Amino acid sequence: NSRIALITGGTKGIGYEVAHHLAQKGIEVLIASRDEIKGEQVAEQLASENLSVTYIQIDVTNQATIDLAVTEVANAYGRLDILINNSTLYLKEPRPSDLPSEMIRQNFEVNFFGAIAVTNAFLPLLRQSSSARIVNISSALGSLDFHKKNRDSHFHCAYSASKASLDMFTLQLARDLEGTKIKVNGCTSDLATIELYYDHDHGHGMDAAIRSIVHLATLADDAPTGKIFSLNFGEHK
């Protein structure tokens, strides 16, 4: 009877910590990654704490692995209650004028196309939930306002564009699913943004990110949908 959550990129960083926190709330967590050995090790580590955590293999750039995971979840549970699209690629980028097309494609394959592929594949199972939540992990770098107000020495055009596109998917999907029991929201709390801009010396940004994602994954039924929240739950544009 416990809720079922799936987290892509769940074997390290924020994904791992969110999995840990959700499992402590009594939620059955499926941590997904393409690295089977690492995934099994992490699942065993969390299970040793008497937490209900299982590894499931998903490479967000490989539709066959996504489809197989959907079948496994359907057979085991018949539904999915929480989907957190956390898999993120962040590369050190050159100036936009020197940006290779392949680097742009790499960012979009994971950060945008991967999230869409996973979401749409699991939507039938999310529809079987009495109260489903989709959380897309975005970035402050996907905000146009952020770039207008902050001039830093880093260039991250491909990453920023992929996250801006993810924001658009989040908003459009929420509108598409209005009237259903599925809430779709985004959170700007990804590790790359935290390392660049938030309290990285003391880890406060990481803590805030985890709290934000867990909060959105466990929203009440009267909570909003179609929002992109920053670390302090203000909206970003």
Side-chain angles (χ1 to χ4, degrees):
N1 293 324
S2 63
R3 307 198 75 199
I4 312 301
L6 187 149
I7 307 174
T8 64
T11 60
K12 60 182 179 180
I14 285 178
Y16 171 85
E17 294 296 339
V18 170
H20 193 253
H21 280 64
L22 289 178
Q24 288 180 323
K25 289 179 174 288
I27 296 171
E28 189 155 350
V29 178
L30 307 175
I31 54 170
S33 79
R34 63 182 180 179
D35 187 337
E36 184 175 2
I37 295 176
K38 176 67 172 177
E40 293 287 2
Q41 289 175 341
V42 171
E44 290 176 7
Q45 176 184 339
L46 291 173
S48 69
E49 301 178 32
N50 294 320
L51 300 175
S52 185
V53 178
T54 305
Y55 168 70
I56 187 167
Q57 186 174 36
I58 294 180
D59 178 347
V60 301
T61 66
N62 185 326
Q63 187 66 46
T65 69
I66 298 170
D67 293 340
L68 181 58
V70 170
T71 300
E72 292 177 1
V73 175
N75 290 340
Y77 308 104
R79 73 179 196 281
L80 183 64
D81 301 299
I82 299 167
L83 172 62
I84 301 177
N85 286 306
N86 175 67
S87 288
T88 297
L89 179 68
Y90 182 83
L91 304 171
K92 183 177 180 180
E93 298 182 30
R95 304 172 70 89
S97 55
D98 296 322
L99 186 62
S101 296
E102 181 56 30
M103 184 172 285
I104 299 173
R105 292 190 183 96
Q106 286 177 309
N107 276 270
F108 270 81
E109 282 294 334
V110 175
N111 302 340
F112 180 57
F113 297 126
I116 292 178
V118 171
T119 300
N120 287 345
F122 277 97
L123 263 178
L125 291 179
L126 288 160
R127 291 182 186 275
Q128 296 302 312
S129 172
S130 61
S131 181
R133 305 290 179 261
I134 299 173
V135 184
N136 292 327
I137 309 306
S138 184
S139 169
L141 298 179
S143 164
L144 298 181
D145 279 355
F146 181 92
H147 287 281
K148 290 176 183 177
K149 297 173 182 177
N150 295 272
R151 295 181 58 86
D152 62 87
S153 60
H154 301 275
F155 288 101
H156 21 63
C157 180
Y159 176 83
S160 299
S162 68
K163 289 299 187 178
S165 297
L166 180 62
D167 288 349
M168 181 57 68
F169 174 64
T170 301
L171 300 180
Q172 292 284 313
L173 182 63
R175 183 184 300 176
D176 184 19
L177 297 177
E178 282 180 354
T180 74
K181 297 178 180 179
I182 304 174
K183 294 186 183 296
V184 186
N185 291 292
C187 181
T188 65
S189 317
D190 69 287
L191 184 58
T193 307
I194 288 168
E195 288 180 335
L196 286 170
Y197 299 106
Y198 296 110
D199 290 335
H200 47 80
D201 292 335
H202 305 289
H204 297 158
M206 174 75 86
D207 292 340
I210 295 162
R211 289 195 302 271
S212 298
I213 298 167
V214 170
H215 175 77
L216 292 177
T218 56
L219 284 175
D221 289 339
D222 60 352
T225 187
K227 304 291 185 180
I228 311 294
F229 294 96
S230 65
L231 286 175
N232 60 3
F233 293 106
E235 289 185 62
H236 94 141
K237 301 176 182 179

